[in-house]
Amino acid sequence: MNADTVPSTARSAYALLTEPECPGAEQPLPERIRQQITLTASGANDLTGQPVEALREAAVEWAAVERARFQALAGHANDAVDRQLLAQGAVLGCAPLGLVSGAWLQWLSSMATADAPAALAALTLYASDVGVGRPRDARGGAYAQLLRALRVAEHASPPARLALDLRVADNAFVLPALLLLMGRRPDEFHAEILGADLCLREVGVLPALELVDLTGTGIEAADLDAGRSRAHGAVPGGLPAAERALEALGDAPNTAARVAAGFRWALASLRTWSEGLLVRLTSALDPAHRAAQMLRARAREGSVYHRDYELAGRPLSEWLREATNSPHALLDALATSKLIRPGEPERSPLLNGLVGDRGAMFRIFSRTDLEILASWIRSLPGENQQTPLENLGNNDAAFPLWEGTGAAPAEGGHSPVDLRDAYARLQRRSQAPELTAYARTYVHGWLGRAAHRIARAGVPLPEQWPAEGLRPWLADQHDRHADEFEGAAEEELPSREHLISSTVQLAPLTMIDGAWLQGFTDYELASSEVGFSLFETYWDELGNGRADLNHPLIYRQLVESMGIELPPTGSVEFARWSGFEDRSFELPVFWLSLGRFPKTFQPEILGLNLAMELSGVGGSYRRARLSLRAHGFSTRFVDIHNTIDNVVTGHSAWAADSIDSYMTTAAPPADTSAREEAWARVRTGYRALNPPSGWFARRAQRRAQFASRPL
């Protein structure tokens, strides 16, 4: 990240942190983030020193009082137009939080913590928020639907675009931006994230949304209330799941204090932001304020023109330049000009001749703009309480966390020294630049090797993507696996010693089952048409929150039954364990590296995922079962994979479907070259599970690595 892309405001930070491959999240030092949290919370003296239970009560009480204030505001609406403006202003003001509801949980699981109770509990909570198993069903997706229902969704998707919507106040981005930043630093802020998350769930539906009538929108209140489990959700969520995630943290020193700090900061932030939003919406009921706000939005562009038109003795271009900061003087001048007939918008030249199809300002104003101007003219003459627009709840939006900071000292500031070092470090969510660069180079090299002479390699995937999709091909491959199994049924089973040795050497790979999909925990990708089944696959690999279904744990139990005690997977001791061969880390490091780039290498991930999920179904899993059973070991690991990866309703089927979805959206049918390129990348990813290993292939790998390095 260079100086030009460092976010300096909460708005720009929000845009950066909602990107799946967000750079630079490691730069602000943890101490600086904690200082910001403490500083914000210090403004709420009544919360100081309160334990979590007292804070929960305070959050519920505040939310009730705040809802009553917004309900009272609704009573001041004069007509349907006012009610619509209030509802639109409320949903826009709440959008930075609503569009990413729960997204701060997206990185609380990792391969290093794949079997840890705290990570599994947090992943369960997140799976509920993201609508696991269904595309476009995250809580944020429901909020985007609400924006569409109220016709203010121009910048709703992806959430990064919301930063472009100047109708949303700057300070509305402060709380979600800092939450997302902490979410990118789970090793340092797991407890604070869950504390803030608990606060938001206690508050429930954001108070300003009392101004919105959900009737006819197709949106359920539970989708907007993070404290409630969603009625159609496959995974229970809401407050009970949040409480379980907190319980799973345990009682390590300072944990309770850190949870309370996160809660206190979130509640103090909510109070400040909601107060500002209430002021803005109150002012929105004033026709003069609405007109001034609209003029300020148009003033910069308009100031280039109108040098020859005078208003109250000055060129209109000068008035417009001033209006970019303070538009009320221009509004006053217009009110007494010949362009306006007070109380009669239909007779005012500004709204008929000038904006007509032969007028000098044709199409300058939108239909909504014209309605705002008409409402203001209709209100004249009268007392227009003019509150300066810049003071309407838009303060405290600075976000100086990146200023004057170097990279955080985590990860030692150097590239991995070898495969084992890379394996240990890549399991965590660290985005240290040196580690990210290493991972990218490793992926390019591995894919270069996988692509080597691929046209001659007899890759099982068809040379062209079949128009009917991959399901027929998938069924054929399953039949082939079954035939190969039957043909090898009489082969001699491996010895006990060989079975134990091969099982142990596979541990670095199998103990990070699903690592290639880790990037699809990203909020947007996890609920997309292409990515929703990939996130569900990842969710399955980690056991759907249950230790007894957790694949890494099941495999660890198998290894232990063979008399082998391994260190924790995420530890340096595991990577340095002398019983592993160096080559046993080559493919695992590729998985871990590839999983960091879910957008950059999406087609390759899709191809690899299909190869991985299909690899053992109907054939090698059945063969492994015979070997394990013959020597008295549990067959649970291979049994569960042979069923969960099945080609009709399981992971193999999902993998094929995700590729079909990608291919139908990656390039239009008429763009043959783009479609061929996308499919070639999918095939390369498929072959990457078992790339060639000869001298020429290794040379292709080295060349691809060299070419990928920045100049």
Side-chain angles (χ1 to χ4, degrees), residues 47 49-61 195 198 202 239 242-243 246-247 256 259-261 263-264 267:
L47 304 179
Q50 296 287 340
V52 170
E53 288 307 314
L55 291 170
R56 294 179 69 172
E57 293 177 4
V60 172
E61 292 173 4
L198 182 67
E202 283 286 11
L239 269 173
E243 290 167 346
L246 281 166
E247 290 170 4
V259 170
F263 195 117
R264 192 177 300 114
L267 183 52

Side-chain angles (χ1 to χ4, degrees), residues 414-444:
H414 59 81
S415 295
V417 297
D418 57 23
L419 280 174
R420 293 174 183 256
D421 186 27
Y423 180 83
R425 291 169 59 182
L426 286 167
Q427 286 184 66
R428 300 196 173 274
R429 295 283 193 166
S430 166
Q431 290 179 290
E434 298 83 4
L435 191 59
T436 300
Y438 175 94
R440 184 180 290 107
T441 299
Y442 195 92
V443 169
H444 276 292

Side-chain angles (χ1 to χ4, degrees), residues 6 87 109 111 137 187 261 391 414 480 487 498 560 583 608 700:
V6 169
S109 69
M111 288 296 103
D137 202 35
D187 289 345
N391 292 330
H414 59 81
R480 182 174 65 82
H498 183 272
E560 288 175 351
R583 63 180 180 177
L608 173 68

Side-chain angles (χ1 to χ4, degrees), residues 116 162 186 188 190 240 250 267 312 371 426 533 562 580 603 643 663 665:
L162 188 67
E188 292 136 333
H190 192 132
L267 183 52
E371 290 174 355
L426 286 167
S533 61
M562 295 176 172
F580 295 136
T643 56
M663 290 302 299
T665 57

